[in-house]
Amino acid sequence: MSRPVPNPGILDIAPYTPGKTPVPEPGRKVFKLSANETPFGPSPKAIEAFKRVADHLEDYPEGTSRVLREAIGRSFGLDPNRIICGAGSDEILNLLAHTYLGQGDEAISTNHGFLVYPIATMAVGARNVIAEETNLTCNVDAILKVVTPKTKLVWLANPNNPTGTYIPFDEVKRLRAGLPSHVLLVLDAAYCDYVSRNDYEMGIELVATTENTVVTHTFSKIHGLAALRVGWMFGPEHIIDAVNRIRGPFNVSTPAMYAAVAAIEDTGHQGMSKQFTETWRNWLTEEITKLGLRVTPSVANFVLIHFPTDNGRTSDDADAFLTKRGLVLRALKNYGLPHSLRMTIGTEEANRLVVDALREFMAGK
Ligand SMILES: *Cc1c(COP(=O)(O)O)cnc(C)c1O
C-alpha cells in the first residue's frame, strides 16, 4: 500500500538528538550548562511586562510586532520597517531558507557551524555544502572556494556556536565582496552582545549598504528569554518584503513581544551580564587550561573544552563524571567535535564546581 512520502531531502536530515536528561547522584543540585542560557534570567522588568499582558490572553497579537520593532530600532539605530520579528531566530532562519532556497540550490555553512543551518537548508530540498574552518574559526577563503553557480545562500554565525570563535568585520566584508551579488549572506549575531573586541561588528553596516546581506539576532541569550521564543532580522527592504509574505501573521505572541521590549530597554541588566560573562570566561579559560586541558579562546558566553583520547580521560568520561555531580555540559559529536564539551558560563558556584570537578577528573579520582 502506498503511504505519504516526505519531500526530497527531508529524510537526509539526521534526526535531532537532544542533550541527554541529566541523572546526577541523589541529592545533587543540577546546573544546566548545556544550552547557552543566561544564569541571570531576564530583566525583572521583562517578567513584569509578561505578567501584565496575562490579563488579555484572548486577543490575537498585533501582527507586525510593531512595538518590538520600534524598540529594537531605538536600541540599534535602525529603521523599524526593515526589521522582522520571529518565534526565535530559528523561525527566521527557516523563513529565509523557504524564501530563497529550493531543490537544486546550494547553501554553505562551516564544518562546526550551528546545526539549524543544515536543517533549514535540507528541509527545503537544497544541498548543504560545508566549508572547512581553520583552527575552529571561519575561513573566508574556504567559503569562497566552495561557491558554485548553484550557491544561493551563506550561513555564518559570528561569533560561532559551538566554537566561540569569531572573525573580524574586515573579514566579513571580504566575504561579502567575494560572493556573487545574488548570494544571500546571513549573519547570525546571537552572541554579539558578549563580544568586546575592537575589530568585531555584528554587521549592521553591511546590511545598510548592500542589497544581499541580513543580520539575525535573538532574545534567547543575553536577554534570558529563551522560553518565549523571540528573534529578529534586519535586512534590505526587498528581503523584508519577501519574507513577510510567508511569515505567519501572528508569529510572535503578545507576552513575548512586551517582555522583549522591556528586556532590550534594560541596558543595566545587559551590561551586568556582559561584564560577569567576561570575567568568568577569562577565569574558566585560565583555570581549565592549568589542568592540562585545551580551551578554545571564546568571545561568547560559553567555552569549548578539548579532552585527550586516552582511556579514562576522554570527553565521554568527563561528561559522565560531571553529570554525576549535577554539572551538565554539552557533548558535541553531532557537531563534528567528538572529543570536546561545550560549557555555558554559569553562576560563580557552577563555574567553580566545574573546575573543581575537572581537577578531580584529571587527577584520576
Ligand atoms: C542560540 C542560538 C540562536 C538563537 O536561537 P533562537 O531560536 O532565537 O532561540 C541562533 N543562532 C545561534 C548560532 C545560536 O547559538
Side-chain angles (χ1 to χ4, degrees):
M1 209 163 44
S2 73
R3 54 181 197 174
V5 175
N7 286 330
I10 300 288
L11 295 183
D12 299 330
I13 299 172
Y16 185 75
T17 41
K20 59 180 170 2
T21 310
V23 188
E25 289 163 349
R28 291 267 188 189
K29 190 167 159 186
V30 175
F31 295 89
K32 187 179 172 214
L33 307 170
S34 56
N36 295 345
E37 295 146 342
T38 172
F40 298 111
S43 158
K45 291 177 187 138
I47 298 172
E48 274 169 42
F50 180 87
K51 287 180 177 163
R52 268 200 304 278
V53 178
D55 289 339
H56 293 283
L57 297 184
E58 69 280 17
D59 296 332
Y60 272 105
E62 188 277 313
T64 74
S65 303
R66 183 178 54 80
V67 291
L68 179 53
R69 288 186 296 108
E70 287 173 355
I72 295 166
R74 282 193 298 277
S75 172
F76 287 88
L78 306 176
D79 176 358
N81 293 318
R82 290 179 55 179
I83 295 170
I84 281 183
C85 297
S89 34
D90 281 4
E91 185 196 18
I92 295 187
L93 301 172
N94 278 288
L95 288 173
L96 286 167
H98 276 276
T99 308
Y100 292 101
L101 293 175
Q103 272 185 61
D105 294 335
E106 293 176 355
I108 300 171
S109 57
T110 64
N111 58 326
H112 304 114
F114 190 39
L115 275 187
V116 168
Y117 308 151
I119 294 172
T121 297
M122 293 162 81
V124 295
R127 204 165 78 84
N128 176 52
V129 174
I130 297 292
E132 294 291 321
E133 296 164 3
T134 303
N135 294 327
L136 300 179
T137 307
C138 169
N139 178 334
V140 167
D141 295 306
I143 292 179
L144 294 175
K145 209 177 286 172
V146 293
V147 171
T148 75
K150 293 178 179 169
T151 306
K152 290 280 175 61
L153 193 152
V154 174
W155 307 106
L156 178 65
N158 198 29
N160 185 46
N161 173 21
T163 56
T165 57
Y166 78 106
I167 57 171
F169 192 44
D170 279 351
E171 281 292 282
V172 177
K173 284 194 278 196
R174 191 165 74 80
L175 172 62
R176 178 65 272 177
L179 290 170
S181 63
H182 69 273
V183 172
L184 175 62
L185 175 60
V186 180
L187 299 172
D188 179 344
Y191 298 96
C192 70
D193 310 283
Y194 295 107
V195 186
S196 35
R197 297 291 181 93
N198 291 333
D199 58 358
Y200 175 80
E201 296 265 352
M202 71 189 283
I204 293 227
E205 176 201 316
L206 210 44
V207 178
T209 56
T210 66
E211 288 291 313
N212 44 23
T213 308
V214 298
V215 167
T216 63
H217 201 7
T218 181
F219 282 88
S220 301
K221 304 288 153 61
I222 203 162
H223 296 298
L225 294 175
L228 291 187
R229 316 303 306 125
V230 198
W232 57 277
M233 163 173 86
F234 175 57
E237 217 172 283
H238 71 102
I239 293 179
I240 297 298
D241 172 60
V243 174
N244 260 330
R245 289 168 196 250
I246 62 165
R247 180 179 63 80
F250 306 109
N251 64 329
V252 181
S253 75
T254 313
M257 217 183 281
Y258 281 92
V261 169
I264 205 168
E265 287 173 351
D266 192 344
T267 50
H269 189 75
Q270 292 156 50
M272 174 276 296
S273 179
K274 179 178 183 179
Q275 187 56 54
F276 176 95
T277 302
E278 193 164 334
T279 301
W280 286 94
R281 187 171 62 212
N282 290 338
W283 185 83
L284 284 163
T285 305
E286 203 171 300
E287 294 298 318
I288 297 171
T289 305
K290 274 194 226 160
L291 303 176
L293 294 165
R294 217 157 42 74
V295 178
T296 296
S298 168
V299 295
N301 69 332
F302 54 87
V303 290
L304 186 62
I305 311 167
H306 306 283
F307 290 84
T309 50
D310 37 316
N311 247 339
R313 289 286 179 286
T314 67
S315 63
D316 281 346
D317 297 324
D319 199 15
F321 189 91
L322 293 167
T323 300
K324 263 200 287 182
R325 284 158 178 73
L327 303 164
V328 185
L329 276 60
R330 179 63 170 259
L332 298 168
K333 288 194 176 60
N334 52 352
Y335 277 94
L337 294 163
H339 308 300
S340 311
L341 295 177
R342 189 192 67 195
M343 173 193 173
T344 306
I345 295 165
T347 57
E348 172 171 353
E349 181 187 11
N351 299 334
R352 290 190 185 279
L353 285 172
V354 170
V355 168
D356 289 345
L358 285 175
R359 187 177 297 113
E360 280 183 44
F361 173 73
M362 292 304 284
K365 287 188 186 150

